[in-house]
Amino acid sequence: MQIKNGDVDMAIGGDQAGSIRIPASWVGIVGLKPTYGLVSYTGAAAVETTIDHLGPMAASVKDCALLLEAITGYDDGLDPRQPSAMKCEKYSELLEVDLSGKRVGLLLEGFAGCEPDVQNIVGEAARKLGSLGVKVEEVSLPLHKNGVAIWTPIAMDGAYQCMVKGFGVGYMSKGYFNESLMNKLRESYALNIYKVSDPMKLMLMVGSYVEKNYGGRFYARAQNLSMQLTRAYDTLLKTYDALVMPTLPYKAPKLPSATSSVADRLKNALGMIQNTAPFDVSGHHAISINAGFSEQLPVGMQIGGARFADLTVLRFARAIEKLNN
């Protein structure tokens, strides 16, 4: 079934490297990867427990916030990633506030390597916040550039464990394990693994190779580095209310054709995650909202914020939405 524009008002996406924010950026809608644990993952098939997120996608910030209201909340311990005392908000009713005095950092490492038109459109849209009394200034966090390198061993090993070994709803964690789903996934992968995409085959092959030759060494190193990345964002977000950068480094490319090379297919699948994957690793929330158009194609702005302060980035996104309209 092909979904056309306007067929649905809202959708729920799964995000391990950016799969909420990537399509949102390229089609010009709003997509929020919430703080890790804010939305329960119960009932969803995992890729890797420590980077799995579910979140809302919609045509407007208010609809995105409304769906977030419906899916947040403690799941009675079924998902151990959730803190029992977390606070959920009436997000859709709290979007309109005075932002004067707030501080936004344009993350230089997030702009580096992006197409010039993407950099310009996102930068200009962010600086419009200055008209609302928001202080917008450039900031640097070198560790952001290593986010994809940290993400890679985690995702590769996670994909191997979930798909090949059958841990399709989590791995080595407390919480609810859906046995029937695990059995069905294991059977399906065993019978139809050749049908998965080239990028997924690569992840499985690398995950298998690394486990057989190095065990969990690189997975462990990446998880340890992820804590450093989380602390680095935490420190910067004590000074700034939000961090802004392009969601993706380039505009939507053409889909690969039947004659496309494996390298082209891999680039189409994983060549755009430099700004999205780091926030999956760190657990901070991040939203993509349309900042403008270039060559009639949408350009997404990513706004990231402190953990469990998702309402803050929704408010900034709503302000951008109003300024652009």
Side-chain angles (χ1 to χ4, degrees):
M1 180 181 70
Q2 183 176 5
I3 297 177
K4 302 185 295 295
N5 184 30
D7 281 357
V8 297
D9 296 306
M10 304 171 180
I12 297 174
D15 196 312
Q16 288 84 21
S19 296
I20 290 172
R21 293 158 289 159
I22 292 168
S25 176
W26 278 343
V27 302
I29 63 170
V30 183
L32 172 67
K33 182 202 77 67
T35 298
Y36 182 77
L38 183 65
V39 176
S40 170
Y41 212 77
T42 306
V47 171
E48 211 290 325
T49 309
T50 64
I51 58 175
D52 287 327
H53 299 76
L54 295 176
M57 305 169 73
S60 70
V61 175
K62 185 169 184 179
D63 281 352
C64 193
L66 189 62
L67 182 53
L68 183 64
E69 286 179 29
I71 62 177
T72 56
Y74 185 59
D75 200 15
D76 296 325
L78 296 180
D79 186 343
R81 291 166 282 195
Q82 293 191 292
S84 59
M86 68 181 184
K87 182 181 179 182
C88 301
E89 307 271 7
K90 287 288 186 180
Y91 301 102
S92 65
E93 300 174 12
L94 301 170
L95 296 174
E96 308 287 345
V97 295
D98 180 7
L99 294 175
S100 60
K102 298 292 185 181
R103 302 185 71 182
V104 166
L106 302 183
L107 192 65
L108 293 175
E109 289 78 9
F111 282 81
C114 297
E115 292 179 338
D117 55 344
V118 170
Q119 294 187 43
N120 292 336
I121 289 170
V122 172
E124 289 174 7
R127 289 185 177 90
K128 290 180 183 177
L129 291 169
S131 65
L132 303 178
V134 177
K135 186 174 182 180
V136 181
E137 57 190 20
E138 295 181 345
V139 297
S140 177
L141 183 65
L143 194 55
H144 176 82
K145 295 186 296 183
N146 297 332
V148 174
I150 297 171
W151 171 88
T152 301
I154 297 172
M156 298 289 184
D157 184 75
Y160 174 73
Q161 301 293 350
C162 287
M163 296 182 69
V164 176
K165 290 195 170 182
F167 286 94
V169 291
Y171 179 57
M172 295 180 69
S173 66
K174 292 287 187 181
Y176 177 69
F177 284 76
N178 188 325
E179 292 183 51
S180 61
L181 177 57
M182 293 173 71
N183 288 335
K184 186 62 178 178
L185 287 170
R186 180 71 183 92
E187 292 171 3
S188 297
Y189 292 140
L191 291 172
N192 302 297
I193 197 69
Y194 64 92
K195 292 183 179 180
V196 303
S197 65
D198 289 339
M200 183 55 71
K201 287 177 182 175
L202 174 67
M203 292 181 69
L204 295 177
M205 289 169 64
V206 173
S208 175
Y209 174 84
V210 171
E211 178 170 280
K212 289 178 180 178
N213 289 278
Y214 301 100
R217 172 185 173 188
F218 294 111
Y219 178 86
R221 181 180 298 177
Q223 289 289 12
N224 292 336
L225 288 170
S226 75
M227 292 189 288
Q228 294 183 25
L229 184 63
T230 298
R231 287 194 292 266
Y233 288 133
D234 284 344
T235 299
L236 194 57
L237 287 164
K238 290 177 182 178
T239 302
Y240 295 94
D241 297 284
L243 302 175
V244 168
M245 68 208 76
T247 307
L248 306 172
Y250 46 83
K251 304 176 292 298
K254 292 182 179 180
L255 292 172
S257 67
T259 58
S260 295
S261 67
V262 173
D264 287 338
R265 291 178 181 275
L266 293 176
K267 182 179 180 182
N268 267 89
L270 298 171
M272 78 299 284
I273 63 174
Q274 66 184 52
N275 285 337
T276 53
F279 290 111
D280 287 288
V281 172
S282 73
H284 293 81
H285 63 282
I287 194 169
S288 180
I289 183 169
N290 186 42
F293 294 83
S294 177
E295 301 175 5
Q296 299 182 310
L297 294 172
V299 173
M301 169 196 289
Q302 182 172 249
I303 310 172
R307 286 177 288 170
F308 294 102
D310 300 56
L311 180 58
T312 298
V313 299
L314 284 165
R315 286 170 168 171
F316 278 114
R318 175 57 182 149
I320 292 293
E321 186 176 59
K322 291 170 67 176
L323 287 168
N324 281 347
N325 289 337

